[in-house]
Amino acid sequence: MTEPLAPQYNPSAIESALYAWWQERGLFSPDAGPGGSAATPYVVMMPPPNVTAVLHMGHGLNNTVQDVLVRFERMRGRRALWVPGTDHAGIATQNVVERLLAKEGLTRFDVGREAFVERVWGYVRETGAAILEQLKAIGSSADWGRTYFTLDDDLSRAVREAFVTLYEEGLVYRGHYIINWCPRCLTALSNEEAEKEETDGKIWHLRYPLADGTGHVTVATTRPETMLGDTAVAVHPDDERYRPLIGRALRLPVVDRAVPIVADHAVDPAFGSGAVKITPAHDPADFEIGRRHNLPSIDVMTPEARISLAAPERFQGLDRFDARARVVAEFEAAGLLERVEPHRHAVGHCYRCGTVIEPRLSDQWFVRMEPLARPALEKYRDGTLRFIPERRGDDYTQWLEGIRDWCISRQLWWGHRIPVWYCEAEGCARTTVSRSDVGACPGCGGPVKQDEDVLDTWFSSWLVPFSSLGWPERTPDLAGFYPGHTLVSAPEILFFWVARMIMSGLHFMGEVPYTHIYLHGTVRDTQHRKMSKSLGNGIDPLEVVERYGADALRYSLVSGMSVGTDVILDPDDLEGSFAPGRNFANKLWNAGRFILSNIEGPVRPLAGAPDAVRPDELALADRWIIARCDATVREATDAYEKFRLNEAAGAVYRFLWSDLADWYIEQIKPRLYGDVPGGDAARAVAVQTFDVALRLLHPIMPFVTEALWRRFPGRTANASISVAHWPRPDARAEDASAIAEFDLVQQVVGAIRGIRAEYGVPPGQTVRAYVSQDGRAVHAALERERGTILRLAKLSELVLGESTERIGGHAVLPDGTAVFVPLGDAIDVDRECGRLGAEAERLSSLLGSQEKKLSNEQFVARAPADVVARERDKMAAWSEQRDVLLGKRKLLGCG
RNA sequence: GGGCGAAUAGCUCAGCCGGUUCAGAGCGCCUGCCUUACACGCAGGAUGUCGGGGGUUCGAAUCCCUCUUCGCCCACCA
């Protein structure tokens, strides 16, 4: 406890020691989540009271925010817990596998960072390794085929429970629909996973001749190759141009097939030619029209998006884009290509690999969303659910109102398999949906085969708020922690995850999982691009931690983040982004070091004990810093509660640096050194206020605050600031007069320093100063802090009163207090006259506009009385200030 | 095509339910200091038609309209 502290804060040594220390005591959870990305799903829950906690050193924005909030809540005596999103074993495993594959030279997917593997959860690592063993056993990627690796985690049961329950309620169904298909990943995707992107494309106007050769109909398309699967052309029933043609046949070029002209209200007569080619197997809208008109569906593409056997032989096996060119060429050759126009439209891309989505007709499992969305919407509208920032609620509403059924089956080789078994016996065809594995058909006893697909990873994610607590079991954890309070998440997964958790929570548990949804911004580079590994514009948090410390990283992220806005960081200027946090940590370190080195033995308490410091022992500066400290407690607590973490950080920063370090510590030095009496009180106040500030800052900068806090007297070896109580505001600490009086002291010192700098007085040289004013009360304040002023302004003498000398530097404070520093020969009188004149001039112009304002009858009549009074006071003060300045000029004999 | 957000000092941003010498902070820059907690520091200083235009008001960085630029989200018009 008494070993000397290094003069410079060394984050890496201190942080790693604390990290280990916390871990030993179960106060720390070392996992960084998959990739440390913003997508890491953690959940903050905090029902009262009773304290248990999992702590975390976050590297990313999401982790950091969550950790800050958890620490804050916990220090306030609320139970705060992070539940790691183990459901993301799916994604994590996938990433690990990819990583390991790459190491083995088996490149099939994009590869994550080296550091990533070291950071993922242990069980994921093991799972990944096990999977890799199996993959290697299977052989080369070409031979892999469809092999399943079902994740054996706690969530499997919950996932099955949810699936089967929804099935029994008629909310899960299997359907033959157009889904988003990725020809590279060879899987279906949900609407949310198909990212729309504005793309410059073309629109081709193609002529389809009437079968009897009496003319043609022009259709427009952005995907000409799909015409190979056309089975009709549709027009609006009221479209006069086409009404006579309805029911007649067209001769489909290229494939030479007869297709009918049908009438359907879905067609917009105003768009293009008003006639639409219908490809039921390759377009969702066409599929619906096809259904209404009983049109056949011709699937002309293979899963890899090559042209299938259903098309003419010369197209078979062609890539879809090659086929497009070939179709267009054939139309052109036949004189049936009317025209081509540039066309900007949204094209779906696979969220994972970026491949252009191909709408594809297939059998998939869906969740009926409307019945789930309705209550979720209701809970927002009745105010149960709140978004921070509020405007995110609009996004939520909009999405739920337009919600479509959720395609949950995926043709991937990882994840939770769909718990459905099909009977393979001749003539049975029974489908069994079951919570437990099915070995034989419950109907006929025949052999069964489990559905080949796995579930969308978000199907397990949306259960996390309760599945992670043991559901469907009614565990104590579930009873104790559900529902939670706050969810911290990134806006980009509002639909993927957040809204769905709310729906599932309401459906399966009957309550919203969280009442507060805090959506933070995104970390971007200076061009406002999202930081990502693939763009290479990211900042490696581990590098920052190593160079500047975790506290510096956290401070930079938090202080740069106002509610709902993005954090912009320059990857090419780590110094500019993170040095301030490091500097602040070092400042704290040294302030703490100073205080610690000046106390020995017990420090008297400020109140509540026989040996407590008596009020009459307190200096003005003591009262001032106590009042400022109290104000900071209020400000910071309020900011944390409102999720305004940057404001909390700013409040404590200002208190610690500008008030405590710059002024208070300077003020108490003589007392601590024993040069003047009052050392006891100074020590007590310094320790007390510094302690409060450490606690206020701890959620944001846990390491440096902990490192210092535990060294203060009276702390047992196992005490941790992370379980210390949150400071409470104290009405007795409010002290407006101390604030005002010390403010005057600061201004006087500032004025003298300004004059010294102005006239280049050498730093070591002392000067005399005169401070005068009509009022007496402030003089009393200055008298009380005479020593402080002498020291901080480097004075040989401070006279509270007028000087008989004239030549020197003058300053007038806003309240009219005049400060005079006689400088004799050192002063340039002309320059001083100029300075004073300019200052008086500035006040004159202010007075001018003020006079105008006050003589404006409208203002006096309409503005609130207190505003008018305030403006009058202002004018009086300025006027006095100016008079004093002009008086000084006269004294100096200015022209 | 719809909706939303942003535009303030060279950079990153705060201020914005109108009215405290309201134009601020940090970084950067300039000047002077290794003053025994801290040069990752101390003291002092310069810097802005608050994106353009219009309006409401006694009064606008703050409210309304419009334009420009940037960004985000949503969208089955082929």
Side-chain angles (χ1 to χ4, degrees):
Chain A
M1 189 149 307
T2 48
E3 76 266 32
L5 304 183
Q8 217 166 60
Y9 178 62
N10 177 347
S12 56
I14 289 163
E15 287 175 2
S16 59
L18 280 175
Y19 189 102
W21 191 85
W22 278 330
Q23 224 172 335
E24 271 170 36
R25 284 155 185 79
L27 293 169
F28 202 95
S29 151
D31 47 34
S37 76
T40 313
Y42 286 88
V43 179
V44 178
M45 300 178 175
M46 36 206 187
N50 195 349
V51 176
T52 4
V54 180
L55 295 192
H56 194 286
M57 176 179 82
H59 292 319
L61 192 54
N62 204 13
N63 296 352
T64 304
V65 170
Q66 286 168 134
D67 190 49
V68 169
L69 292 176
V70 167
R71 285 170 191 265
F72 170 64
E73 289 301 333
R74 212 178 40 139
M75 289 175 77
R76 308 188 82 204
R78 298 202 191 139
R79 185 160 55 169
L81 169 73
W82 278 33
V83 179
T86 51
D87 67 300
H88 269 56
I91 286 177
T93 304
Q94 175 185 328
N95 284 334
V96 171
V97 170
E98 288 168 3
R99 179 75 214 149
L100 294 174
L101 283 174
K103 249 187 176 155
E104 301 293 326
L106 304 171
T107 48
R108 183 175 165 187
F109 290 96
D110 299 332
V111 173
R113 264 186 335 189
E114 178 73 35
F116 167 66
V117 174
E118 299 308 317
R119 287 272 153 196
V120 290
W121 304 316
Y123 87 89
V124 172
R125 189 153 39 204
E126 285 162 26
T127 310
I131 291 173
L132 179 63
E133 286 311 306
Q134 294 179 62
L135 288 176
K136 284 160 84 175
I138 293 165
S140 74
S141 63
D143 302 329
W144 285 351
R146 306 270 313 251
T147 307
Y148 298 97
F149 303 97
T150 301
L151 296 166
D152 185 22
D153 60 47
D154 294 344
L155 297 176
S156 298
R157 268 188 70 201
V159 166
R160 281 195 182 184
E161 177 69 26
F163 184 95
V164 175
T165 303
L166 290 171
Y167 178 82
E168 288 166 354
E169 291 166 345
L171 295 177
V172 152
Y173 64 96
R174 188 171 159 86
H176 189 64
Y177 292 105
I178 298 278
I179 45 84
N180 298 295
W181 180 263
C182 175
R184 182 180 161 284
C185 300
L186 299 180
T187 183
L189 298 172
S190 66
N191 293 321
E192 288 69 35
E193 288 170 321
E195 293 181 340
K196 290 300 172 72
E197 208 177 293
E198 285 279 331
T199 314
D200 283 315
K202 287 176 182 167
I203 186 160
W204 286 267
H205 295 257
L206 307 176
R207 285 180 179 163
Y208 288 4
L210 284 160
D212 57 14
T214 56
H216 67 264
V217 171
T218 299
V219 297
T221 179
T222 54
R223 295 185 297 151
E225 70 280 10
T226 62
M227 65 78 55
L228 298 170
D230 279 4
T231 54
V233 165
V235 297
H236 192 93
D238 301 333
D239 192 332
E240 294 302 333
R241 294 171 294 176
Y242 297 111
R243 203 202 288 263
L245 299 179
I246 293 169
R248 291 182 59 184
L250 292 167
R251 187 100 225 135
L252 198 58
V254 180
V255 297
D256 198 29
R257 178 165 68 226
V259 298
I261 296 174
V262 300
D264 196 285
H265 286 275
V267 178
D268 177 2
F271 187 88
S273 63
V276 190
K277 60 187 277 303
I278 301 299
T279 323
H282 293 282
D283 185 279
D286 292 6
F287 177 77
E288 294 302 326
I289 293 175
R291 273 206 165 170
R292 289 197 280 271
H293 299 277
N294 268 320
L295 299 172
S297 295
I298 302 176
D299 187 348
V300 295
M301 274 188 225
T302 66
E304 293 82 12
R306 293 180 174 280
I307 303 304
S308 74
L309 302 179
E313 203 174 337
R314 61 185 187 280
F315 286 92
Q316 290 172 14
L318 277 185
D319 175 81
R320 52 184 163 165
F321 299 114
D322 297 336
R324 176 176 301 175
R326 176 116 190 214
V327 164
V328 170
E330 291 196 14
F331 266 89
E332 189 163 21
L336 297 172
L337 178 63
E338 195 169 291
R339 66 180 192 280
V340 187
E341 293 170 338
H343 186 65
R344 200 167 163 73
H345 60 138
V347 177
H349 292 76
C350 173
Y351 82 111
R352 207 172 150 60
C353 70
T355 303
V356 174
I357 296 296
E358 193 61 39
R360 184 158 194 260
L361 187 57
S362 67
D363 287 313
Q364 303 289 344
W365 288 93
F366 296 85
V367 177
R368 217 179 288 288
M369 295 304 273
E370 199 278 331
L372 298 177
R374 218 179 318 115
L377 208 42
E378 181 48 37
K379 284 295 173 191
Y380 173 64
R381 290 187 172 140
D382 72 12
T384 306
L385 191 60
R386 286 189 45 208
F387 287 88
I388 300 107
E390 281 178 35
R391 62 189 156 79
R392 292 291 178 187
D394 294 340
D395 298 343
Y396 175 81
T397 306
Q398 202 184 337
W399 186 70
L400 286 177
E401 283 174 343
I403 200 157
R404 280 174 287 160
D405 286 356
W406 176 17
C407 175
I408 52 170
S409 43
R410 295 288 179 279
Q411 292 68 47
L412 299 172
W413 45 272
W414 63 82
H416 301 282
R417 283 185 75 176
I418 290 175
V420 174
W421 287 261
Y422 305 103
C423 180
E424 294 194 299
E426 206 60 38
C428 178
R430 177 169 172 152
T431 296
T432 309
V433 177
S434 169
R435 287 174 174 81
S436 53
D437 284 354
V438 172
C441 176
C444 69
V448 292
K449 190 175 166 205
Q450 189 174 358
D451 194 300
E452 300 214 319
D453 294 349
V454 297
L455 289 160
D456 180 3
T457 183
W458 298 104
F459 189 86
S460 49
S461 302
W462 78 326
L463 308 173
V464 157
F466 41 96
S467 65
S468 60
L469 299 170
W471 185 87
E473 211 77 56
R474 311 300 307 191
T475 62
D477 278 352
L478 187 59
F481 285 106
Y482 193 96
H485 180 275
T486 301
L487 172 74
V488 178
S489 192
E492 61 256 35
I493 55 173
L494 176 60
F495 307 137
F496 273 116
W497 195 39
V498 178
R500 285 178 184 153
M501 282 196 292
I502 293 160
M503 289 188 272
S504 72
L506 279 168
H507 191 72
F508 294 110
M509 297 294 297
E511 283 180 272
V512 291
Y514 321 100
T515 49
H516 293 67
I517 309 290
Y518 175 77
L519 295 164
H520 60 244
T522 308
V523 182
R524 299 178 183 280
D525 67 12
T526 47
Q527 293 167 57
H528 299 120
R529 295 178 308 180
K530 193 171 157 181
M531 285 197 179
S532 74
K533 283 171 232 165
S534 51
L535 265 178
N537 63 341
I539 291 175
D540 183 350
L542 295 178
E543 188 192 336
V544 173
V545 167
E546 201 174 306
R547 284 175 58 179
Y548 301 94
D551 281 339
L553 172 66
R554 295 166 63 107
Y555 175 80
S556 297
L557 290 176
V558 167
S559 62
M561 179 187 66
S562 55
V563 174
T565 62
D566 293 338
V567 178
I568 311 291
L569 294 174
D570 186 349
D572 298 322
D573 182 19
L574 296 185
E575 189 71 12
S577 300
F578 300 105
R582 176 201 57 191
N583 297 352
F584 183 36
N586 190 51
K587 187 71 182 178
L588 264 186
W589 179 256
N590 275 291
R593 197 161 70 96
F594 175 80
I595 294 170
L596 283 167
S597 69
N598 283 290
I599 54 178
E600 33 192 77
V603 173
R604 290 166 62 194
L606 281 184
D611 65 334
V613 175
R614 299 182 313 275
D616 64 290
E617 288 181 79
L618 294 179
L620 170 59
D622 297 331
R623 287 165 50 212
W624 168 75
I625 198 72
I626 289 170
R628 280 289 306 129
C629 183
D630 180 66
T632 306
V633 170
R634 292 169 202 278
E635 203 181 334
T637 306
D638 184 59
Y640 276 114
E641 278 175 347
K642 290 180 172 145
F643 299 92
R644 299 167 166 254
L645 304 186
N646 60 324
E647 290 180 12
V652 187
Y653 181 97
R654 283 190 297 275
F655 174 73
L656 274 165
W657 202 312
S658 309
D659 295 338
L660 197 87
D662 286 350
W663 288 96
Y664 188 66
I665 285 183
E666 291 307 325
Q667 197 276 351
I668 63 177
K669 278 178 179 172
R671 287 194 277 164
L672 295 182
Y673 299 155
D675 299 344
V676 297
D680 253 22
R683 268 181 278 274
V685 173
V687 166
Q688 167 71 20
T689 52
F690 190 64
D691 177 276
V692 167
L694 286 182
R695 281 181 280 155
L696 294 178
L697 188 61
H698 178 260
I700 296 166
M701 301 180 86
F703 293 98
V704 67
T705 52
E706 174 84 283
L708 289 168
W709 191 82
R710 62 206 315 212
R711 286 175 197 265
F712 275 82
R715 302 276 143 72
T716 60
N718 284 338
S720 171
I721 190 175
S722 58
V723 291
H725 68 82
W726 191 254
R728 290 170 177 282
D730 181 357
R732 290 167 307 175
E734 288 184 64
D735 194 338
S737 67
I739 300 247
E741 289 178 14
F742 199 78
D743 180 59
L744 179 69
V745 172
Q746 290 178 311
Q747 288 193 47
V748 167
V749 171
I752 298 168
R753 282 172 172 171
I755 291 166
R756 294 180 61 113
E758 180 81 16
Y759 291 103
V761 177
Q765 186 184 319
T766 55
V767 294
R768 289 173 296 133
Y770 293 81
V771 181
S772 57
Q773 205 211 28
D774 296 341
R776 270 113 244 121
V778 286
H779 280 185
L782 297 178
E783 189 58 63
R784 260 182 249 140
E785 292 293 343
R786 171 180 289 275
T788 303
I789 297 169
L790 287 170
R791 258 171 42 76
L792 299 188
K794 272 254 187 292
L795 298 181
S796 56
E797 189 186 1
L798 171 65
V799 180
L800 299 184
E802 291 285 352
S803 166
T804 52
E805 294 161 89
R806 298 185 297 114
I807 311 300
H810 294 273
V812 178
L813 304 182
D815 67 349
T817 302
V819 176
F820 172 61
V821 178
L823 288 170
D825 299 342
I827 197 122
D828 176 340
V829 174
D830 286 346
R831 184 167 166 193
E832 184 63 8
C833 286
R835 260 188 69 216
L836 298 178
E839 186 60 15
E841 200 54 43
R842 192 181 66 88
L843 285 168
S844 290
S845 92
L846 276 173
L847 282 168
S849 61
Q850 196 69 1
E851 195 165 358
K852 222 178 195 173
K853 185 187 258 185
L854 284 167
S855 60
N856 182 334
E857 285 174 27
Q858 296 284 352
F859 171 70
V860 178
R862 297 195 190 192
D866 60 318
V867 171
V868 176
R870 214 182 305 145
E871 295 300 323
R872 289 223 161 91
D873 291 348
K874 244 196 279 183
M875 186 156 161
W878 294 346
S879 168
E880 183 190 346
Q881 228 179 312
R882 187 182 58 167
D883 291 347
V884 176
L885 280 167
L886 293 176
K888 299 295 171 195
R889 272 176 61 88
K890 205 169 275 174
L891 272 175
L892 278 174
C894 302

